[in-house]
Amino acid sequence: MINIQNESSLHNTLKLYYANRNSGLTEVEKEGHIYDIVGKDGQIIEIQTKNLSALENKIKDTLEKKYKITVVYPLVITNWIYLTDEEGKLVSKRKSPKKGNIYDIFDELTKIYPYLLHKNFTLEVVHIEMIEHRIKTSDAVQSKNKKRRYKKNWIKVNKRLDKILKTDVFKTKKDYLSFLPSSLPETFCAKDLSKYLKAAPSLPARISTKAHLIIWVLVRMNLIVQTEVKNKSRYYKINR
């Protein structure tokens, strides 16, 4: 029987991958924190598979102590769901209809935006294909985190890395402003941004609903500034 207490291997795999790439040590205690990786040059690397806001205080303290820190966030582009029985025999395999997009990162930036442009901070978004392992149960059960609205006849036991597709690095103003379509008017409101995002052939239609969130983050990063209010809409321009 598979041990349902196993932690996700996604984090561990990425930790070993980045440690090897940076000739670093893992699980290093330093300045009151335990860091995932400390490279041979002193570079600190944290792997966070979800909820970047949980790193807010750690990032703040690390930067205040004048260390360089890179946060690695895996963005799941494709999720394969493997369902097995309790003995490990594969019952089914399917691709989840949910597909990640780089704009989804804005959901993770609402707490850490003050540090995104700090000279010693780097955000790496790793686009991945992931395998989610579920075990079929005889009875409907609650999830381990108790967040299911309705019980289901399976339980998630592991997430593991299947493939790294590419990596986006965010560090400069230009990197974050690249989220604004180049065809956007010089002054724009949330409706304008939503319209241009929706029209972009490379983006799923759902991304257009993030216009207000994108503006919220970019305003607080001082990358765009409000110019006027017209017809109850706030208009903005890039802060050059």
Side-chain angles (χ1 to χ4, degrees):
M1 180 175 178
I2 294 173
N3 179 9
I4 64 173
Q5 300 302 317
N6 285 345
E7 295 182 355
S8 165
S9 63
L10 173 61
H11 180 276
N12 290 331
T13 303
L14 286 172
K15 182 169 61 177
L16 292 174
Y17 172 80
Y18 272 86
N20 182 63
R21 199 174 76 167
N22 293 274
S23 301
L25 300 175
T26 62
E27 299 300 314
V28 178
E29 188 171 356
K30 187 181 182 74
E31 299 283 4
H33 296 289
I34 296 178
Y35 293 108
D36 286 330
I37 304 160
V38 176
K40 65 177 181 179
D41 59 353
Q43 170 84 4
I44 292 167
I45 301 173
E46 281 290 303
I47 313 293
Q48 190 75 4
T49 60
K50 61 180 180 179
N51 191 18
L52 289 184
S53 62
L55 287 180
E56 179 186 6
N57 292 333
K58 197 173 193 180
I59 293 170
K60 180 176 183 291
D61 191 49
T62 302
L63 293 174
E64 285 178 350
K65 291 174 179 173
K66 304 190 183 305
Y67 291 108
K68 293 182 178 180
I69 180 169
T70 295
V71 171
V72 176
Y73 177 79
L75 177 65
V76 182
I77 302 301
T78 303
N79 185 22
W80 291 95
I81 299 173
Y82 285 25
L83 181 67
T84 69
D85 62 20
E86 292 186 344
E87 302 302 322
K89 183 178 178 181
L90 186 65
V91 175
S92 65
K93 171 186 172 182
R94 67 181 177 87
K95 184 189 292 187
S96 170
K98 295 180 181 179
K99 187 174 182 179
N101 183 275
I102 189 59
Y103 280 84
D104 292 326
I105 194 64
F106 279 90
D107 295 310
E108 300 288 341
L109 302 183
T110 57
K111 291 290 187 181
I112 67 168
Y113 69 83
Y115 318 108
L116 297 179
L117 295 177
H118 192 287
K119 65 180 181 179
N120 286 336
F121 181 86
T122 303
L123 174 65
E124 286 197 20
V125 181
V126 187
H127 299 237
I128 67 168
E129 289 189 7
M130 184 182 78
I131 293 173
E132 178 182 309
H133 180 194
R134 299 174 178 177
I135 290 180
K136 185 176 178 62
T137 57
S138 54
D139 299 312
V141 295
Q142 178 57 271
S143 61
K144 288 189 287 185
N145 60 14
K146 310 296 183 184
K147 290 186 177 181
R148 280 181 177 169
R149 187 174 180 182
Y150 302 105
K151 293 182 179 180
K152 299 178 181 180
N153 65 339
W154 57 265
I155 187 166
K156 186 192 303 182
V157 293
N158 197 14
K159 296 184 294 183
R160 72 177 191 265
L161 178 66
D162 186 39
K163 187 186 299 182
I164 292 178
L165 304 173
K166 69 172 185 174
T167 300
D168 289 328
V169 179
F170 297 94
K171 190 171 182 64
T172 68
K173 293 179 180 181
K174 183 179 179 181
D175 295 333
Y176 290 98
L177 286 173
S178 67
F179 285 101
L180 298 178
S182 58
S183 54
L184 199 63
E186 184 175 353
T187 59
F188 58 91
C189 64
K191 288 182 180 179
D192 293 328
L193 179 55
S194 178
K195 180 179 72 174
Y196 279 85
L197 291 173
K198 192 171 185 177
S202 61
L203 296 177
R206 68 177 179 82
I207 298 301
S208 64
T209 64
K210 295 183 182 292
H212 284 284
L213 176 60
I214 294 167
I215 287 174
W216 188 94
V217 172
L218 296 182
V219 164
R220 280 153 183 80
M221 293 176 68
N222 200 32
L223 293 180
I224 62 175
V225 292
Q226 184 176 317
T227 59
E228 62 179 334
V229 178
K230 183 169 60 177
N231 298 327
K232 297 184 179 180
S233 292
R234 291 184 174 90
Y235 281 77
Y236 304 88
K237 68 175 182 179
I238 294 174
N239 188 14
R240 302 189 186 279

mmCIF file of all heavy atoms in Angstrom, residues 103-123:
data_model
loop_
_atom_site.group_PDB
_atom_site.id
_atom_site.type_symbol
_atom_site.label_atom_id
_atom_site.label_comp_id
_atom_site.label_asym_id
_atom_site.label_seq_id
_atom_site.Cartn_x
_atom_site.Cartn_y
_atom_site.Cartn_z
ATOM 1 N N TYR A 103 0.514 34.832 -16.706
ATOM 2 C CA TYR A 103 -0.230 35.898 -16.033
ATOM 3 C C TYR A 103 -0.799 35.433 -14.696
ATOM 4 O O TYR A 103 -1.149 36.262 -13.850
ATOM 5 C CB TYR A 103 -1.358 36.418 -16.934
ATOM 6 C CG TYR A 103 -0.882 37.397 -17.985
ATOM 7 C CD1 TYR A 103 -0.343 36.949 -19.194
ATOM 8 C CD2 TYR A 103 -0.967 38.770 -17.775
ATOM 9 C CE1 TYR A 103 0.102 37.835 -20.149
ATOM 10 C CE2 TYR A 103 -0.529 39.674 -18.729
ATOM 11 C CZ TYR A 103 0.011 39.201 -19.917
ATOM 12 O OH TYR A 103 0.461 40.093 -20.862
ATOM 13 N N ASP A 104 -0.879 34.129 -14.477
ATOM 14 C CA ASP A 104 -1.367 33.613 -13.198
ATOM 15 C C ASP A 104 -0.449 33.998 -12.046
ATOM 16 O O ASP A 104 -0.852 33.947 -10.882
ATOM 17 C CB ASP A 104 -1.506 32.088 -13.255
ATOM 18 C CG ASP A 104 -2.606 31.640 -14.199
ATOM 19 O OD1 ASP A 104 -3.622 32.355 -14.307
ATOM 20 O OD2 ASP A 104 -2.448 30.570 -14.827
ATOM 21 N N ILE A 105 0.769 34.384 -12.364
ATOM 22 C CA ILE A 105 1.715 34.756 -11.314
ATOM 23 C C ILE A 105 1.225 35.953 -10.512
ATOM 24 O O ILE A 105 1.586 36.127 -9.336
ATOM 25 C CB ILE A 105 3.115 35.032 -11.919
ATOM 26 C CG1 ILE A 105 4.185 35.094 -10.831
ATOM 27 C CG2 ILE A 105 3.130 36.289 -12.740
ATOM 28 C CD1 ILE A 105 4.396 33.812 -10.103
ATOM 29 N N PHE A 106 0.390 36.795 -11.101
ATOM 30 C CA PHE A 106 -0.093 37.965 -10.369
ATOM 31 C C PHE A 106 -0.913 37.589 -9.142
ATOM 32 O O PHE A 106 -0.978 38.352 -8.181
ATOM 33 C CB PHE A 106 -0.896 38.885 -11.302
ATOM 34 C CG PHE A 106 -0.019 39.769 -12.129
ATOM 35 C CD1 PHE A 106 0.437 39.362 -13.375
ATOM 36 C CD2 PHE A 106 0.387 41.015 -11.654
ATOM 37 C CE1 PHE A 106 1.272 40.167 -14.128
ATOM 38 C CE2 PHE A 106 1.226 41.835 -12.409
ATOM 39 C CZ PHE A 106 1.671 41.401 -13.639
ATOM 40 N N ASP A 107 -1.516 36.424 -9.152
ATOM 41 C CA ASP A 107 -2.247 35.958 -7.967
ATOM 42 C C ASP A 107 -1.308 35.752 -6.792
ATOM 43 O O ASP A 107 -1.741 35.730 -5.639
ATOM 44 C CB ASP A 107 -2.974 34.642 -8.273
ATOM 45 C CG ASP A 107 -4.055 34.817 -9.322
ATOM 46 O OD1 ASP A 107 -4.871 35.741 -9.182
ATOM 47 O OD2 ASP A 107 -4.072 34.032 -10.293
ATOM 48 N N GLU A 108 -0.021 35.584 -7.072
ATOM 49 C CA GLU A 108 0.976 35.292 -6.036
ATOM 50 C C GLU A 108 1.768 36.522 -5.583
ATOM 51 O O GLU A 108 2.594 36.414 -4.677
ATOM 52 C CB GLU A 108 1.961 34.237 -6.561
ATOM 53 C CG GLU A 108 1.334 32.914 -6.938
ATOM 54 C CD GLU A 108 0.904 32.115 -5.718
ATOM 55 O OE1 GLU A 108 1.406 32.403 -4.618
ATOM 56 O OE2 GLU A 108 0.074 31.199 -5.866
ATOM 57 N N LEU A 109 1.533 37.666 -6.194
ATOM 58 C CA LEU A 109 2.401 38.829 -5.946
ATOM 59 C C LEU A 109 1.823 39.861 -4.995
ATOM 60 O O LEU A 109 2.487 40.859 -4.694
ATOM 61 C CB LEU A 109 2.731 39.519 -7.278
ATOM 62 C CG LEU A 109 3.412 38.665 -8.344
ATOM 63 C CD1 LEU A 109 3.731 39.508 -9.571
ATOM 64 C CD2 LEU A 109 4.665 37.985 -7.804
ATOM 65 N N THR A 110 0.629 39.640 -4.490
ATOM 66 C CA THR A 110 -0.047 40.686 -3.719
ATOM 67 C C THR A 110 0.592 40.977 -2.369
ATOM 68 O O THR A 110 0.347 42.029 -1.781
ATOM 69 C CB THR A 110 -1.533 40.321 -3.504
ATOM 70 O OG1 THR A 110 -1.627 39.043 -2.853
ATOM 71 C CG2 THR A 110 -2.268 40.259 -4.833
ATOM 72 N N LYS A 111 1.414 40.061 -1.864
ATOM 73 C CA LYS A 111 2.090 40.294 -0.587
ATOM 74 C C LYS A 111 3.567 40.614 -0.749
ATOM 75 O O LYS A 111 4.173 41.268 0.114
ATOM 76 C CB LYS A 111 1.944 39.054 0.319
ATOM 77 C CG LYS A 111 0.543 38.806 0.829
ATOM 78 C CD LYS A 111 0.108 39.852 1.845
ATOM 79 C CE LYS A 111 -1.223 39.486 2.459
ATOM 80 N NZ LYS A 111 -1.684 40.508 3.437
ATOM 81 N N ILE A 112 4.166 40.173 -1.855
ATOM 82 C CA ILE A 112 5.619 40.343 -1.994
ATOM 83 C C ILE A 112 6.006 41.436 -2.989
ATOM 84 O O ILE A 112 7.190 41.598 -3.283
ATOM 85 C CB ILE A 112 6.298 39.006 -2.380
ATOM 86 C CG1 ILE A 112 5.884 38.560 -3.782
ATOM 87 C CG2 ILE A 112 5.994 37.930 -1.355
ATOM 88 C CD1 ILE A 112 6.734 37.419 -4.321
ATOM 89 N N TYR A 113 5.014 42.183 -3.491
ATOM 90 C CA TYR A 113 5.337 43.225 -4.479
ATOM 91 C C TYR A 113 6.373 44.240 -3.986
ATOM 92 O O TYR A 113 7.142 44.779 -4.811
ATOM 93 C CB TYR A 113 4.062 43.944 -4.952
ATOM 94 C CG TYR A 113 3.401 44.804 -3.909
ATOM 95 C CD1 TYR A 113 3.841 46.099 -3.674
ATOM 96 C CD2 TYR A 113 2.335 44.329 -3.148
ATOM 97 C CE1 TYR A 113 3.249 46.896 -2.713
ATOM 98 C CE2 TYR A 113 1.747 45.106 -2.181
ATOM 99 C CZ TYR A 113 2.203 46.395 -1.975
ATOM 100 O OH TYR A 113 1.616 47.184 -1.009
ATOM 101 N N PRO A 114 6.465 44.560 -2.668
ATOM 102 C CA PRO A 114 7.464 45.559 -2.260
ATOM 103 C C PRO A 114 8.906 45.140 -2.541
ATOM 104 O O PRO A 114 9.806 45.983 -2.551
ATOM 105 C CB PRO A 114 7.229 45.702 -0.750
ATOM 106 C CG PRO A 114 5.828 45.250 -0.520
ATOM 107 C CD PRO A 114 5.645 44.139 -1.505
ATOM 108 N N TYR A 115 9.139 43.853 -2.777
ATOM 109 C CA TYR A 115 10.512 43.353 -2.915
ATOM 110 C C TYR A 115 10.875 42.990 -4.351
ATOM 111 O O TYR A 115 12.034 42.673 -4.635
ATOM 112 C CB TYR A 115 10.697 42.121 -2.018
ATOM 113 C CG TYR A 115 10.065 42.296 -0.667
ATOM 114 C CD1 TYR A 115 8.913 41.611 -0.303
ATOM 115 C CD2 TYR A 115 10.586 43.217 0.246
ATOM 116 C CE1 TYR A 115 8.311 41.804 0.930
ATOM 117 C CE2 TYR A 115 9.984 43.426 1.476
ATOM 118 C CZ TYR A 115 8.845 42.711 1.811
ATOM 119 O OH TYR A 115 8.251 42.924 3.028
ATOM 120 N N LEU A 116 9.912 43.034 -5.256
ATOM 121 C CA LEU A 116 10.128 42.518 -6.609
ATOM 122 C C LEU A 116 11.213 43.261 -7.371
ATOM 123 O O LEU A 116 11.895 42.675 -8.217
ATOM 124 C CB LEU A 116 8.814 42.547 -7.400
ATOM 125 C CG LEU A 116 7.681 41.665 -6.839
ATOM 126 C CD1 LEU A 116 6.432 41.803 -7.697
ATOM 127 C CD2 LEU A 116 8.117 40.202 -6.753
ATOM 128 N N LEU A 117 11.374 44.563 -7.101
ATOM 129 C CA LEU A 117 12.375 45.352 -7.820
ATOM 130 C C LEU A 117 13.615 45.631 -6.981
ATOM 131 O O LEU A 117 14.477 46.419 -7.390
ATOM 132 C CB LEU A 117 11.757 46.672 -8.302
ATOM 133 C CG LEU A 117 10.640 46.527 -9.336
ATOM 134 C CD1 LEU A 117 10.057 47.889 -9.683
ATOM 135 C CD2 LEU A 117 11.144 45.830 -10.603
ATOM 136 N N HIS A 118 13.714 44.995 -5.832
ATOM 137 C CA HIS A 118 14.908 45.152 -5.008
ATOM 138 C C HIS A 118 16.115 44.595 -5.763
ATOM 139 O O HIS A 118 16.030 43.547 -6.422
ATOM 140 C CB HIS A 118 14.728 44.409 -3.684
ATOM 141 C CG HIS A 118 15.749 44.737 -2.652
ATOM 142 N ND1 HIS A 118 17.055 44.297 -2.730
ATOM 143 C CD2 HIS A 118 15.678 45.466 -1.508
ATOM 144 C CE1 HIS A 118 17.738 44.736 -1.691
ATOM 145 N NE2 HIS A 118 16.922 45.447 -0.918
ATOM 146 N N LYS A 119 17.227 45.279 -5.685
ATOM 147 C CA LYS A 119 18.410 44.884 -6.465
ATOM 148 C C LYS A 119 18.911 43.482 -6.129
ATOM 149 O O LYS A 119 19.587 42.842 -6.946
ATOM 150 C CB LYS A 119 19.531 45.897 -6.261
ATOM 151 C CG LYS A 119 20.069 45.964 -4.832
ATOM 152 C CD LYS A 119 21.180 46.989 -4.694
ATOM 153 C CE LYS A 119 21.731 47.032 -3.267
ATOM 154 N NZ LYS A 119 22.844 48.018 -3.130
ATOM 155 N N ASN A 120 18.576 42.991 -4.940
ATOM 156 C CA ASN A 120 19.052 41.669 -4.524
ATOM 157 C C ASN A 120 17.990 40.581 -4.625
ATOM 158 O O ASN A 120 18.179 39.477 -4.104
ATOM 159 C CB ASN A 120 19.585 41.724 -3.088
ATOM 160 C CG ASN A 120 20.930 42.422 -3.001
ATOM 161 O OD1 ASN A 120 21.681 42.481 -3.981
ATOM 162 N ND2 ASN A 120 21.230 42.988 -1.843
ATOM 163 N N PHE A 121 16.874 40.906 -5.295
ATOM 164 C CA PHE A 121 15.780 39.934 -5.402
ATOM 165 C C PHE A 121 15.569 39.523 -6.859
ATOM 166 O O PHE A 121 15.583 40.352 -7.767
ATOM 167 C CB PHE A 121 14.476 40.506 -4.852
ATOM 168 C CG PHE A 121 13.319 39.541 -4.916
ATOM 169 C CD1 PHE A 121 13.110 38.624 -3.909
ATOM 170 C CD2 PHE A 121 12.459 39.536 -6.003
ATOM 171 C CE1 PHE A 121 12.057 37.714 -3.968
ATOM 172 C CE2 PHE A 121 11.403 38.641 -6.076
ATOM 173 C CZ PHE A 121 11.201 37.727 -5.059
ATOM 174 N N THR A 122 15.346 38.234 -7.058
ATOM 175 C CA THR A 122 15.015 37.706 -8.388
ATOM 176 C C THR A 122 13.879 36.700 -8.247
ATOM 177 O O THR A 122 13.862 35.896 -7.317
ATOM 178 C CB THR A 122 16.225 36.997 -9.032
ATOM 179 O OG1 THR A 122 17.331 37.905 -9.101
ATOM 180 C CG2 THR A 122 15.890 36.516 -10.440
ATOM 181 N N LEU A 123 12.929 36.769 -9.175
ATOM 182 C CA LEU A 123 11.848 35.788 -9.232
ATOM 183 C C LEU A 123 12.032 34.955 -10.499
ATOM 184 O O LEU A 123 12.130 35.505 -11.597
ATOM 185 C CB LEU A 123 10.486 36.487 -9.266
ATOM 186 C CG LEU A 123 9.259 35.591 -9.463
ATOM 187 C CD1 LEU A 123 9.079 34.641 -8.289
ATOM 188 C CD2 LEU A 123 8.001 36.439 -9.666
#
